[in-house]
Amino acid sequence: MKKTKAKKKSHIPIRLNITLFIIFLLFSSLILRLGFIQIVKGEGFRKEVERTEDVTVKNSVPRGKIYDRNGKIIVDNKSLNSITYLRYQNTKTDEMLEVSRKLASMINVSTKKITERDKKDFWLLLNPEKAELKITKSDKKLLEEEKIKDKDIYKRQLDRITQEDINSLTKADLHVLAIFREMNSARALTPQIIKNQDVTDEEVAIISENLDSLPGIDVSTDWERLYPYDKTLRTVLGNVSKSEQGLPADNLNYYLAKDYNRNDRVGKSYIELQYEDVLKGEKSKIKTVTDRKGNVIETIPLSEGHRGKDLELTTDIDLQIAVDKIVEDELRQKKSLGNTYLLDRAFVVLMNPNNGEILAMSGKQYVKDKETGNYEIQDYALGNITSSYTMGSVVKGATVLTGYETGVLNPGDVKVDAPIQFKGTQPKKSWKTMGSINDLTALKQSSNVYMFKIAMDIGKGNYVYGKSIRLDVQAFDKMRFFYNQFGLGIRTGIDLPNESKGLQGIDKGPGKLLDLAIGQFDTYTPMQLAQYISTIANGGKRIKPHIVKSIHEPSENGETPGSIYQDFPPTVLNTLPMKSSQVERVQEGFRRVLQEHGGTGVGYFGSAPYKPAGKTGTAEAFYDGPIEGRKGDATMNLTLIGYAPFNNPEVAMAVVVPWAYQGNSDHKMNLSIGKQVMEKYFELKKQQ
């Protein structure tokens, strides 16, 4: 038994030793591995551990260009040298201040945007010890008692800064401040423009040489809109916000949700706004990887980006310029005559009646310069869709067709044109007594009474001279319904925002229904007139007008439109319910207006080789323009609608001259403009 026990004891230490040796080897291997990881790979693994969420930096690209229908650039981009600042997530105020001081010694900056509040904030930053003295013991006690907060302390410091304190800021300080305020407003990892106007080559060179000592500063290329044709169509083309304005406050959340930066420039109005989604382009994107402290570890390019798509307008810029000149010259000439003290604007729309393309859209207005007090003529093309007026006799074609459709009038019906009168009212009559006339003569010679009788029949009235009359008030709705079919009193659908639909008169007395029938009650826009005459010219289709013809991919040469991305075919909004023979009868009446002896426009268009058709208009109105002391003055609006050639229309026209004259001194500015515009259209057509 004793020998057996001795043998067992001798085997235990050997096994234990082997086990301990194996454990030793494993620990040694582990220690070596940990040492290798910590010493050789430690820095790399530390950065991996400290990585934070990747951030994508988006850099601005130029907007798309805008061409006219013949490929001429009317809105371009001008390249600018730009100095930008990229604020990192861990950047401290004193670091930005140091960079601002260095940068101020290298570039010239404007101090115009500096506010009084900016100066106070900057004074506190530059003078911490003096700033501390602006805090009283009472302030500190209230803070300790949590009766006020740190922001209240800061506000009290600001309030106690004196004018003497502010005046202690030197010119050099203000230049530093101008830079610092831009840097301080930058959002983390979002490029902020410090200067992009008048950046000299010398400034670019010196900054480029010192980028290592200017963390976050970079030199890049920026852009601004360029208008080769100056103010032509400017109100219609719209505006783009500036870099310091950034996203409009009233639509901030909308744009942020669409992945815009706060300092991005966007279309603010009209074409630039309407087509923002295609004009803006796609930004270049760079992925920035930072550690937990906000230090940039690496940047990875994701996409180069590309400028916005281009627009090709329906407008012919040469025709537009020519029409603008005609309108401006006529406005100056007629303004020099007597009894035109309210005349300050005029409009012309040229449209292809077959597809709705706007060939020219002119508006001119006298505007008083706020600084000099002098009047100058400015672009007001936008007024063609945003302003409305009583248009007069041009609506009589719609009245006749409404009479046909409601069954109160048949083609060829004869009515007696003689003054009419309701009990207790002034007589209502035409510009002359015409006797027995049919519908064609009523249009040709512009009979008011013929239209009055159509309206009374629609209103189911029993007219007796000098007696009272009752008319069905539903007649207003019925007539307006059919007027809408032509585009009168309803938005045309043009591809521009903020289009007006005009105003409806409120009074529903019998006399007002008659006024509605001759265009002296409701108001319409010049664009509505253009759509109305186009509807008659093309045989009865109301086509949506549009000013953008197509969208194009950016071209390689940047001088001509690229491949078509999207085009816009004609859109028929509705077809007139009248018979085609009835529409043709009104077309014939319009032809006689401008081509036959006795027509109200034959003196200007009778010998025209392009064979036009159309309708003249004069409306008695009350002034409601910008001159306060003249509100309510009696005045006359002049209008003209037309198309040509009569038998194969290719161009439709609307001319509107509000508040043209006072009294009886008709200068026929509408006809003079219309004749010159039509002649210019066909003249330019021959040259193409």
Side-chain angles (χ1 to χ4, degrees):
M1 292 296 292
K2 292 180 181 178
K3 290 182 180 179
T4 304
K5 289 179 181 178
K7 286 182 180 179
K8 286 181 180 179
K9 287 180 180 178
S10 65
H11 287 287
I12 291 173
I14 295 174
R15 292 176 181 174
L16 183 59
N17 289 336
I18 293 172
T19 301
L20 291 173
F21 182 70
I22 292 172
I23 292 172
F24 171 77
L25 291 176
L26 291 174
F27 268 105
S28 299
S29 176
L30 180 60
I31 290 169
L32 289 172
R33 182 60 179 166
L34 288 174
F36 174 78
I37 290 173
Q38 184 172 358
I39 297 171
V40 179
K41 298 288 187 177
E43 183 64 20
F45 282 117
R46 184 184 65 79
K47 288 184 178 181
E48 287 294 325
V49 170
E50 292 183 353
R51 273 180 182 257
T52 63
E53 189 175 322
D54 297 339
V55 179
T56 301
V57 177
K58 294 166 284 187
N59 293 311
S60 177
V61 295
R63 290 174 73 80
K65 300 182 180 184
I66 302 178
Y67 298 82
D68 85 331
R69 66 183 298 113
N70 298 315
K72 296 180 179 179
I73 298 176
I74 57 178
V75 182
D76 205 346
N77 297 307
K78 178 182 177 182
S79 180
L80 301 171
N81 286 327
S82 177
I83 300 169
T84 62
Y85 174 66
L86 188 66
R87 183 175 184 173
Y88 300 122
Q89 291 167 316
N90 64 336
T91 303
K92 298 177 182 178
T93 300
D94 57 348
E95 293 173 339
M96 285 192 293
L97 182 58
E98 181 182 355
V99 173
S100 299
R101 284 172 171 154
K102 289 182 180 179
L103 193 58
S105 67
M106 301 176 186
I107 64 173
N108 290 318
V109 290
S110 172
T111 59
K112 291 181 179 179
K113 292 190 290 183
I114 295 175
T115 65
E116 194 78 359
R117 173 59 188 268
D118 290 331
K119 294 178 182 179
K120 289 185 175 183
D121 288 328
F122 199 57
W123 186 89
L124 291 175
L125 179 63
L126 295 182
N127 302 278
E129 294 180 358
K130 294 180 180 179
E132 185 66 23
L133 296 177
K134 301 289 184 183
I135 306 173
T136 66
K137 291 181 180 180
S138 175
D139 295 334
K140 294 177 181 179
K141 184 178 180 181
L142 291 173
L143 183 63
E144 290 173 0
E145 294 173 352
E146 296 185 354
K147 293 182 179 179
I148 60 175
K149 299 179 180 179
D150 287 335
K151 65 178 182 179
D152 298 313
I153 291 290
Y154 189 75
K155 184 179 184 304
R156 295 184 183 195
Q157 287 177 292
L158 289 173
D159 292 341
R160 292 165 186 162
I161 293 175
T162 66
Q163 190 61 45
E164 184 180 354
D165 292 331
I166 294 175
N167 292 340
S168 68
L169 294 174
T170 65
K171 288 185 178 181
D173 290 334
L174 294 179
H175 280 88
V176 174
L177 171 56
I179 295 172
F180 177 80
R181 72 187 297 273
E182 298 298 332
M183 294 172 62
N184 196 43
S185 65
R187 292 184 170 267
L189 300 177
T190 300
Q192 174 75 17
I193 293 175
I194 303 299
K195 181 180 179 181
N196 65 353
Q197 295 291 329
D198 303 319
V199 179
T200 65
D201 293 338
E202 290 76 13
E203 289 175 335
V204 170
I206 192 170
I207 291 174
S208 299
E209 292 172 1
N210 291 276
L211 288 177
D212 291 342
S213 64
L214 298 168
I217 297 296
D218 198 5
V219 176
S220 60
T221 301
D222 196 25
W223 57 270
E224 68 177 0
R225 280 312 215 186
L226 181 66
Y227 303 92
Y229 294 94
D230 196 21
K231 297 179 181 179
T232 303
L233 272 180
R234 283 292 288 112
T235 56
V236 173
L237 295 171
N239 294 310
V240 177
S241 62
K242 297 181 180 179
S243 56
E244 59 266 28
Q245 297 170 328
L247 301 179
D250 54 347
N251 285 317
L252 180 62
N253 292 332
Y254 167 79
Y255 285 112
L256 291 177
K258 298 188 72 173
D259 206 28
Y260 282 76
N261 290 333
R262 287 176 181 268
N263 62 351
D264 280 342
R265 283 162 287 182
V266 297
K268 291 172 58 180
S269 57
Y270 299 99
I271 289 178
E272 293 278 15
L273 172 61
Q274 186 77 13
Y275 290 91
E276 167 66 22
D277 287 346
V278 294
L279 286 170
K280 68 176 182 179
E282 183 178 331
K283 297 179 180 180
S284 62
K285 295 182 180 180
I286 300 174
K287 184 169 73 173
T288 301
V289 182
T290 63
D291 60 23
R292 289 182 178 178
K293 294 181 180 180
N295 297 311
V296 176
I297 298 173
E298 62 178 325
T299 57
I300 305 170
L302 296 180
S303 65
E304 293 184 359
H306 57 78
R307 72 174 177 86
K309 292 180 173 59
D310 299 331
L311 301 182
E312 180 180 337
L313 302 188
T314 60
T315 306
D316 181 331
I317 195 63
D318 293 330
L319 178 61
Q320 178 70 43
I321 292 172
V323 173
D324 280 347
K325 186 176 188 307
I326 291 169
V327 174
E328 184 169 340
D329 289 348
E330 280 290 318
L331 193 55
R332 291 184 188 279
Q333 180 185 349
K334 299 303 188 288
K335 185 68 174 175
S336 66
L337 302 177
N339 296 321
T340 58
Y341 55 88
L342 297 178
L343 173 63
D344 75 338
R345 64 193 65 187
F347 306 95
V348 173
V349 177
L350 289 181
M351 181 191 296
N352 183 324
N354 303 302
N355 58 22
E357 293 181 354
I358 303 298
L359 305 176
M361 181 175 169
S362 179
K364 294 295 178 180
Q365 179 183 19
Y366 270 107
V367 177
K368 187 176 183 179
D369 188 286
K370 294 180 180 179
E371 295 182 0
T372 65
N374 297 326
Y375 282 88
E376 60 181 20
I377 295 181
Q378 294 184 358
D379 177 66
Y380 190 36
L382 197 57
N384 284 290
I385 67 168
T386 61
S387 62
S388 63
Y389 312 91
T390 51
M391 298 298 191
S393 297
V394 289
V395 308
K396 289 176 179 176
T399 302
V400 169
L401 283 164
T402 298
Y404 294 155
E405 184 60 24
T406 56
V408 304
L409 181 70
N410 293 307
D413 279 358
V414 174
K415 298 179 185 294
V416 177
D417 181 301
I420 66 171
Q421 185 179 18
F422 302 147
K423 183 179 180 179
T425 67
Q426 293 295 318
K428 299 174 79 69
K429 57 185 180 179
S430 301
W431 64 279
K432 70 174 184 177
T433 300
M434 302 176 190
S436 297
I437 56 174
N438 65 10
D439 48 347
L440 293 179
T441 303
L443 290 172
K444 174 182 173 180
Q445 297 188 357
S446 200
S447 168
N448 286 345
V449 174
Y450 198 96
M451 307 303 150
F452 293 158
K453 292 185 175 181
I454 292 174
M456 287 190 288
D457 289 342
I458 293 174
K460 302 175 183 178
N462 183 21
Y463 170 69
V464 177
Y465 187 88
K467 301 293 184 180
S468 298
I469 187 172
R470 295 186 65 180
L471 298 177
D472 184 358
V473 295
Q474 297 299 319
F476 284 92
D477 294 334
K478 186 175 293 186
M479 290 181 67
R480 284 167 175 157
F481 171 79
F482 287 111
Y483 283 6
N484 290 169
Q485 304 303 301
F486 298 91
L488 297 174
I490 190 172
R491 291 184 177 89
T492 66
I494 189 171
D495 52 338
L496 290 171
N498 303 328
E499 182 185 11
S500 170
K501 65 177 182 180
L503 298 173
Q504 290 185 356
I506 299 174
D507 189 349
K508 292 194 174 182
K512 297 304 180 183
L513 183 66
L514 275 55
D515 291 340
L516 177 64
I518 62 170
Q520 297 198 157
F521 192 44
D522 290 357
T523 68
Y524 312 114
T525 68
M527 186 60 67
Q528 288 173 342
L529 285 194
Q531 188 179 58
Y532 155 55
I533 187 59
S534 293
T535 303
I536 291 176
N538 67 35
K541 295 184 185 300
R542 184 169 75 97
I543 299 177
K544 182 169 76 171
H546 59 108
I547 197 164
V548 173
K549 185 176 183 180
S550 52
I551 302 172
H552 295 253
E553 297 288 355
S555 63
E556 293 184 4
N557 60 24
E559 298 297 326
T560 55
S563 59
I564 293 179
Y565 172 78
Q566 181 183 357
D567 58 10
F568 298 97
T571 300
V572 177
L573 299 175
N574 63 269
T575 301
L576 293 181
M578 297 83 181
K579 297 177 182 178
S580 58
S581 60
Q582 294 173 334
V583 177
E584 289 169 1
R585 188 163 180 86
V586 170
Q587 290 176 339
E588 172 59 18
F590 280 4
R591 184 193 70 80
R592 296 184 181 189
V593 170
L594 299 188
Q595 292 191 42
E596 278 195 3
H597 177 71
T600 56
V602 71
Y604 283 78
F605 292 94
S607 61
Y610 46 82
K611 301 300 179 185
K615 184 73 186 75
T616 62
T618 304
E620 297 178 5
F622 293 101
Y623 181 72
D624 59 350
I627 307 175
E628 290 297 331
R630 294 294 185 176
K631 297 287 187 181
D633 280 13
T635 185
M636 305 296 285
N637 298 340
L638 295 178
T639 54
L640 172 68
I641 55 174
Y643 58 90
F646 162 72
N647 57 348
N648 186 25
E650 63 181 70
V651 59
M653 174 182 65
V655 179
V656 179
V657 186
W659 317 317
Y661 62 90
Q662 293 69 57
N664 298 316
S665 54
D666 183 359
H667 47 60
K668 302 190 183 302
M669 182 174 167
N670 54 335
L671 291 166
S672 180
I673 288 177
K675 177 184 179 182
Q676 294 177 73
V677 167
M678 277 294 195
E679 288 176 349
K680 180 58 67 173
Y681 169 82
F682 286 101
E683 175 189 328
L684 291 176
K685 180 185 175 183
K686 288 182 179 180
Q687 297 174 5
Q688 293 177 352

